[in-house]
Amino acid sequence: MNKVAFGTRPGRQTDGLEKLDHVLPIAASDAEIEAAVAEADLPALLAALAVLTGNDRLIADDLQPPPFQMGASIKPQGGMSAEAQAKARRLATQSLIVYRDNGCPPPDPSAAVLERAMRFLARDAGDEYLPLLRHELGLPRDMGAPDWHKSQTAPNREFRVAVIGAGLSGVAAAHRLAQAGVDYTVFEKNPDVGGVWWSNSYPGCRLDTPNFAYSFSFAQKQDWPEQFSRQIEIQKYIADVARDTSVRDNIEFNTEVVSLVYDEATATWSLRTRRADGAIRDQTFNAIITAVGQLSRPAIPDIPGLDRFRGAWFHSAEWPAGFDVAGKRVAVIGTGASAYQIVPSIVSEVAELKVFQRNPPWMLPTPNYHELIKPGMAWLLHHVPYYGRWFRFWQFWIAAEGRLPLVAVDPGWDHPISVGRANESLRLECMAHLEAQLVDRPDLLKKLTPTYPPGAKRMLRDNGVWTSALKQPHASLLVDGITSITETGVETPDGTLHEVDVIVFATGFLASDYLAPIKIVGRGGKDLHVWWGGDCRAYLGITVPGFPNLFMTGGPNTGVVVNGSAIFSAECAVEYALSAIGQLLAGGHAAMDVRDAPFRAFNERVDAGNLTKAWGVAKTTSWYKNQFGRASQTWPFSLLEYWRLTETADLADYELLPDSTFRADGGG
Ligand code: NAP
């Protein structure tokens, strides 16, 4: 049966994404409906059905999930009691039967019912959260869409924007520019969209944040196959969005940006690209949005002897297409998020597995980590209008401030590992989870027990596969370091040579070399990387003094690492850039250059904020910090705060630059 459209979202442009909300009419029997509801995520279903049917009984107090208490794990059904769940299922089943019998009328929710449903799920959200929640729900319209259009704002002015990178952030930027009617070109060094999701195709690669919340607010896919989908699904999603929005038509693939040079006379950027065939080209743009990601440049440690190794070796993000490890002796160096996915995926195929660990990861109990969306839930997602949106909203809200309080430093807290009371309870919960898996292996428990506070580096989702893999008789976990690599393997400090055929470097990325290796020269010949000196900083993570009309997404100090997802901060930065460009055009200015004072004040505040979080005070290594020990990647505050700071660009923070080559009245 074909999916049908329902309800239009006023204010939204037709952009090829409408079909994401289409559902099938219900023809199922009562019993089939009941069976589907048995597998539903109930809080989100109640909200969706209340909005669909207008029946407030579904979101009454007695069915509201209890106040949320985030711990290491997340309670199923929002912690609803068994009694409340049973009642919710009964009511939901009845509502769906009535909805079916009424011929599945299209929803037409009022603002009031939407707000009641939002408050039902986000029970502790103060009024200040409402605009953010509306933005994430995206009903009745896409709230992040620019509220201006170039055809009205500056119809005669030539204004071209270059977007660097066609990963998630680049696709979002391009889509928003298209919505605003601004000319743009995206440059992508790879042959396809996707960014990290294109390049990281190692075995086992999948999401480690809940999937529905890991999607654009403007492209809410209703039918993810898994709770934490695989790389191929995420890659397909990005490709589908790029195709359906026509962003894809404006991407120059296999084209790497090598330099950006600002011309003060014309207030434009000269952008030099190099194509895969070596061809160099210079083009001029009025503004640049960088969308290169923080985790795109592999870090390979400088281990003596690597050049001598006669086997195969590669970084996790550069796993050769089709490379098969079956029957081979494999070393995996590193035990971060990438290794955590690779090791369990290959352990049953390889002849021998040696995992080289420097610091063990903290693991968050996540029993549903490898779970498919249950058939009943999938059926509901295909038949209940906007259910996917409400499920995404619910996941977003649960994670919105997420585990931020659990990584807070309590002044005066005195513990060799944890940094505060809540952090200690998180540590104990994670330790109990680990100990339960290793009752039979005290040797492994010792090696796998972290000696740094939870949250000081990325915590991993765990459903037991990591310890199961390491317990295999042909697997070993080596924790004493690496002295060298020889022709045939990896040597450890005790002089043992671990002979292997393959070495996988799951050793992370050069996160703090943000925007390298692009040479970026701003006003007065200021070289961005020289000026940063390895310590990247930006105002709101987006703009840097001396580099007018250069907007960054995923920039310094925008990484939300225990709350929200990278998509959230990227969308914030994109919407900020669009707000800035809109005001620039409306005001007839050529360019905007962030002032020193807001830049400094922002960075001081963020630095102080990071020192109130586990990652800021812990001595352990991680991609959150740069070579100076400063947390240059992480955002230490709430999502709400970042959203509010970036909702609208305040031109008072900027020096506005005139340009003699165009006339503000639209001529030239
Ligand atoms: P990572 O988290 O930075 O981990 C790198 C690992 O390599 C760490 O265990 C590190 O040890 C180790 N290492 C680095 N240099 C080493 C050396 N010289 N000798 C031995 N070990 C060394 O990198 P990643 O695993 O690629 O993950 C990076 C980030 O990407 C994650 O934090 C996450 O944000 C993202 N990611 C996401 C997903 C997902 O969503 N599915 C999957 C993968 C990655 P130390 O801990 O001692 O530094």
Side-chain angles (χ1 to χ4, degrees), residues 206 208 301 334-338 341 358-359 457 506-509 621 623:
R206 68 165 68 222
D208 67 1
T335 54
S338 301
Q341 296 179 332
R358 208 160 57 176
N359 280 292
K457 62 176 79 183
T507 41
F509 299 87
T621 48
W623 63 262

